[in-house]
Amino acid sequence: MIKRLRLFWIAIALIFAISISLGLMEKLTAQQASISHPLTSLTEAEISTAVSVIKREKTLSEMAAFPLIALQEPDKQEVLKFTPGKAFGRKVFLVIYERSQNKTFEGIVDLTSKTLSSWKEIPSVQPAIVNPEYELATKVVKADPQWQKAMQRRGITDFEQVKISWWAPGILSQQEEATGNRLCRGLSYYKGKAWNYYGSPIEGVVATVNLNTGKIASFVDKGNIPFSKENWNYDVKSLGKLLSPLKALKILQPNGQSFQIKDNEISWQGWKFRYSMHPRNALMLYQVTYKDGENIRPVLYRASLSEMVVPYGDPEPTWSFRNAFDVGEYNLGLLANTMELGKEIPENGLLLNAVFANEQGEPYKIPGVIGIYERDNGMLWKHYEYNTQRNDVRRNRELVMSMTAAIDNYDYSINWIFHQDGTLEVQNELTGIVLAQGTAAQKQSEDDSHGRLIAKNIFGVNHQHFFNYRLDFDVDGQANSVMEMNVKALPMGEKNPLGNAIALSETPLTKETVAVRDLDLKSSREWMIVSADKKNPLGAAPGYMLMPGGNSMFLPVEGSKIRQRAEFANHHVWVTKYKPSELYAGGDYPNQTQPGQGLPKYIADDEALMGEDIVLWYTMGVTHIPRSEDWPVMPVHRVGFQLVPRGFFSRNPAINLPE
């Protein structure tokens, strides 16, 4: 009897185990079915699987962190040849940092076989800073007697009223470089009763923490400098009397949106593209095509913000280290924030979620982190015919895909804007709070050449923001070339008797070292990426033109350390032959990096560019001289560029829009 009962319960257990197994298989099959394309973003289940494989195959310490977990992008040729329903592999790229050992590893997990297909140590690099390190550094500094005395000398005895903002170390001293330790630098702010502590910097105090040892590496206190005691909160209650409200303005689409979304693919007005929220690059595009009649014509394979650098222009040692690489040092995508309809995104928009992984390797979802919407932007084209009084005009509709990120005091947005005339526009928006410097001054002094007084006891330091975009063009296919276009006025003479002749010259950029170029306002310089093996109906190569918008020159002087670390910002245009591993203009690991990383290395082999699969890297910059109107929160400043069809279409592609 006992034996029969035992067999009965074993049978029940087997049935239960089989049912669970079948349920898991069904769940896995459903998840796999939802991944319809090789460039579909990683799911939470895929992230968990990848991390579990790493932990199974490698012995990680309790201090191990995952600064980056992202889709390992499949081979470009495989993606281009992919057809719906065809089987494809999925891989995950992971960066693992062992803080106790000060070692960085890269791993690639094959999700199909659930194996670790690649594992290697990357020597002498520091990945992006992760959240637990901010918490560790804060505890270390607030327990330090030097810091406590510095606060007490300023009349601050409640250390909970001090907020410490953590930066990557930026420019290192020779001693710091020699140690190779992982560092961060802390700036102190007095909170008091106000929540906007950025208006009260405790100037002259900088604490540097060795994150490997959990100890203070160095401490600087330049002496008591007054800080603002005013309340700089900007909520409605704090602002007092408000402006008269405007009458309601409603943006409605009663018949629904005109764009279609399937998986991570979007279609609208001839455009089709895939999007992804990358933990480092933030909002990026893949496989941008345009339907021209019955032909699907490729324009871009991949487009992303590659790197940023923000150098501050005060030579004082407590400021000169501040040169933030906001993409690579902090993982810009992970700093993206949830948006709201009717605020960052108009009320006719749609909010989309994104899946990321935290530093423990745990997946999580951020709701509403991507916005997509249509907007009106005036006239698209018009002609009024006087003879017949005929008036033909079309309104300009645009599709905007947007995200925002807060990087401590500053806020940025990235906007990809699709136009009905075949133009793709990139627009960055800069807002947030100016990085304030405490000062005793209450009036502007002529000696303050490094910035401007923007409020009493608050000084705004001159600085720049430089963005580099990586644009992998495939204009009508992968065989492309790049031409530089310069316009000049011809001298007066027999062939130009009235001096009105304007001539365009097109110069091919044949090699990578030749294709390092700068803007030239005098010659209206622009660049065109053309097909190397196709012709349009007029016998010319179809192309897309990079039309720059506002820009600046990188102002740090030759020989400066930041110019060596951020060489990508020294020039506006770089062109390289496509290599899948060359993704970041400032190098894979810009945190505490050595000079010459990224683009200078990529062009060192000086490869040929004619008729090749090429990548154009565009750098644009903003020089910010702060003003009182920037305080306490600066109005949005926009900077961007356009990719404009040139000979790509046989006529205006928006000419046949219905009224």
Side-chain angles (χ1 to χ4, degrees):
M1 184 69 180
I2 295 172
K3 187 175 181 181
R4 286 178 184 173
L5 281 172
R6 187 178 297 163
L7 289 171
F8 172 78
W9 286 115
I10 289 172
I12 292 294
L14 283 170
I15 292 169
F16 184 67
I18 290 169
S19 65
I20 291 176
S21 178
L22 288 171
L24 288 173
M25 287 177 66
E26 288 175 5
K27 187 176 180 181
L28 184 61
T29 303
Q31 289 172 347
Q32 289 174 336
S34 70
I35 303 166
S36 60
H37 191 274
L39 293 174
T40 298
S41 300
L42 288 176
T43 66
E44 293 177 86
E46 288 180 318
I47 291 170
S48 296
T49 298
V51 172
S52 67
V53 169
I54 292 285
K55 290 182 176 180
R56 183 191 72 205
E57 297 295 326
K58 298 293 175 181
T59 303
L60 303 181
S61 74
E62 292 183 0
M63 297 172 68
F66 294 83
L68 185 70
I69 299 177
L71 175 70
Q72 173 67 25
E73 293 182 20
D75 179 76
K76 182 175 180 179
Q77 297 306 316
E78 289 182 17
V79 174
L80 293 174
K81 293 175 182 177
F82 172 76
T83 54
K86 182 181 177 182
F88 56 88
R90 296 275 283 176
K91 294 182 179 180
V92 181
F93 174 78
L94 306 95
V95 175
I96 300 93
Y97 180 67
E98 285 282 12
R99 185 158 52 85
S100 59
Q101 304 169 32
N102 195 18
K103 290 183 177 181
T104 301
F105 301 90
E106 290 181 357
I108 297 176
V109 171
D110 187 318
L111 291 171
T112 306
S113 61
K114 294 183 175 56
T115 58
L116 183 59
S117 58
S118 174
W119 178 267
K120 57 183 177 181
E121 181 182 350
I122 312 298
S124 305
V125 300
Q126 294 293 341
I129 299 177
V130 295
N131 284 326
E133 292 176 319
Y134 298 131
E135 298 167 10
L136 167 67
T138 298
K139 289 180 181 178
V140 169
V141 168
K142 287 196 173 183
D144 182 69
Q146 299 173 93
W147 182 86
Q148 292 180 356
K149 288 178 182 177
M151 297 302 107
Q152 290 164 350
R153 281 197 296 271
R154 291 162 171 83
I156 301 171
T157 55
D158 182 1
F159 302 145
E160 291 302 309
Q161 293 301 313
V162 179
K163 170 68 176 176
I164 303 180
S165 172
W166 291 101
W167 286 53
I171 302 299
L172 303 177
S173 67
Q174 288 185 347
Q175 182 179 358
E176 289 171 334
E177 283 186 2
T179 64
N181 290 324
R182 183 169 173 83
L183 306 173
C184 63
R185 304 195 201 276
L187 311 178
S188 299
Y189 294 86
Y190 182 66
K191 289 191 295 186
K193 296 180 181 179
W195 48 263
N196 180 17
Y197 53 85
Y198 289 114
S200 302
I202 301 172
E203 194 58 46
V205 175
V206 176
T208 301
V209 171
N210 181 335
L211 293 168
N212 301 126
T213 62
K215 296 180 180 179
I216 293 280
S218 64
F219 183 78
V220 175
D221 182 0
K222 302 291 288 186
N224 287 17
I225 298 171
F227 55 84
S228 176
K229 301 295 197 327
E230 292 189 42
N231 183 342
W232 290 113
N233 292 351
Y234 45 86
D235 58 288
V236 170
K237 185 179 179 181
S238 299
L239 293 173
K241 187 177 180 180
L242 302 177
L243 296 174
S244 299
L246 296 171
K247 294 180 180 179
L249 174 63
K250 293 290 183 181
I251 304 170
L252 302 175
Q253 288 186 284
N255 299 322
Q257 292 119 344
S258 302
F259 56 86
Q260 295 84 43
I261 300 182
K262 184 180 179 182
D263 190 23
N264 67 332
E265 183 180 71
I266 295 176
S267 305
W268 179 83
Q269 287 284 286
W271 291 104
K272 184 177 284 188
F273 61 93
R274 292 187 175 273
Y275 72 90
S276 175
M277 267 297 290
H278 192 277
R280 177 168 173 171
N281 299 110
L283 182 59
M284 54 191 290
L285 306 181
Y286 293 104
Q287 291 190 289
V288 180
T289 64
Y290 195 95
K291 187 177 182 181
D292 182 17
E294 296 303 314
N295 297 321
I296 306 296
R297 303 178 66 186
V299 177
L300 286 157
Y301 177 73
R302 185 183 190 275
S304 66
L305 175 63
S306 167
E307 191 53 85
M308 290 171 55
V309 64
V310 186
Y312 281 83
D314 190 326
E316 166 62 42
T318 57
W319 275 80
S320 57
F321 76 86
R322 305 183 198 198
N323 300 276
F325 288 70
D326 288 323
V327 174
E329 288 181 335
Y330 303 100
N331 281 335
L332 181 69
L334 296 181
L335 300 176
N337 41 68
T338 296
M339 300 183 288
E340 298 179 62
L341 293 180
K343 294 188 176 180
E344 299 95 335
I345 304 298
E347 56 195 345
N348 65 314
L350 178 68
L351 294 172
L352 304 170
N353 306 328
V355 172
F356 289 131
N358 64 19
E359 53 279 348
Q360 282 83 39
E362 301 163 341
Y364 64 96
K365 183 181 291 183
I366 304 183
V369 76
I370 303 167
I372 182 168
Y373 61 95
E374 295 171 272
R375 71 182 179 193
D376 180 90
N377 193 24
M379 287 190 300
L380 178 61
W381 61 261
K382 168 188 167 76
H383 181 64
Y384 179 81
E385 178 55 59
Y386 280 99
N387 294 322
T388 61
Q389 297 188 11
R390 178 187 175 91
N391 185 38
D392 287 286
V393 62
R394 300 291 187 273
R395 293 296 296 179
N396 185 5
R397 183 85 63 91
E398 298 173 348
L399 180 71
V400 183
M401 198 160 203
S402 180
M403 58 80 64
T404 63
I407 308 174
D408 219 3
N409 57 298
Y410 245 95
D411 294 74
Y412 297 95
S413 79
I414 298 174
N415 300 279
W416 299 96
I417 305 169
F418 294 83
H419 297 252
Q420 291 170 298
D421 66 354
T423 295
L424 174 57
E425 181 179 358
V426 174
Q427 187 181 84
N428 287 359
E429 295 174 311
L430 293 75
T431 181
I433 300 176
V434 173
L435 188 66
Q437 184 181 85
T439 175
Q442 299 197 4
K443 289 186 178 181
Q444 183 68 43
S445 167
E446 293 181 2
D447 296 332
D448 294 334
S449 60
H450 300 128
R452 285 292 179 270
L453 197 69
I454 56 178
K456 291 180 180 180
N457 301 119
I458 298 174
F459 191 74
V461 175
N462 300 336
H463 60 282
Q464 294 187 294
H465 303 257
F466 271 77
F467 308 84
N468 180 275
Y469 276 84
R470 180 186 183 274
L471 306 168
D472 179 2
F473 280 96
D474 280 357
V475 178
D476 266 343
Q478 291 176 265
N480 286 177
S481 301
V482 61
M483 312 292 289
E484 181 175 284
M485 300 184 293
N486 290 282
V487 180
K488 65 178 180 179
L490 298 181
M492 293 182 69
E494 183 179 340
K495 294 184 179 181
N496 186 24
L498 298 181
N500 65 317
I502 301 173
L504 169 68
S505 64
E506 295 185 354
T507 305
L509 303 181
T510 57
K511 285 190 165 188
E512 290 178 328
T513 54
V514 174
V516 181
R517 308 296 295 164
D518 289 305
L519 294 175
D520 185 352
L521 187 62
K522 291 181 180 178
S523 65
S524 297
R525 183 172 292 166
E526 294 172 337
W527 293 269
M528 184 166 66
I529 296 83
V530 298
S531 171
D533 56 7
K534 294 179 178 64
K535 299 292 182 184
N536 63 22
L538 301 178
Y544 257 78
M545 179 172 60
L546 189 148
M547 185 180 290
N551 212 322
S552 293
M553 299 299 294
F554 198 49
L555 292 176
V557 298
E558 293 287 345
S560 63
K561 288 191 175 182
I562 184 54
R563 200 173 180 92
Q564 294 168 359
R565 286 187 66 214
E567 280 198 55
F568 70 87
N570 295 346
H571 299 284
H572 297 121
V573 166
W574 306 65
V575 186
T576 59
K577 185 178 177 181
Y578 170 80
K579 289 192 178 113
S581 61
E582 295 179 351
L583 296 174
Y584 301 110
D588 292 347
Y589 296 93
N591 187 15
Q592 300 184 213
T593 190
Q594 294 299 309
Q597 302 302 303
L599 280 169
K601 275 193 171 182
Y602 300 165
I603 68 167
D605 53 4
D606 200 18
E607 295 210 67
L609 299 174
M610 300 300 290
E612 300 288 348
D613 188 357
I614 58 176
V615 177
L616 187 145
W617 310 69
Y618 179 64
T619 305
M620 62 184 182
V622 173
T623 300
H624 188 184
I625 310 300
R627 56 198 175 103
S628 57
E629 291 83 356
D630 288 333
W631 193 255
V633 179
M634 62 179 282
V636 165
H637 179 90
R638 295 178 175 87
V639 61
F641 61 94
Q642 293 186 330
L643 303 177
V644 181
R646 183 179 175 87
F648 190 81
F649 300 103
S650 59
R651 62 176 185 176
N652 177 353
I655 196 69
N656 57 346
L657 281 172
E659 290 188 280

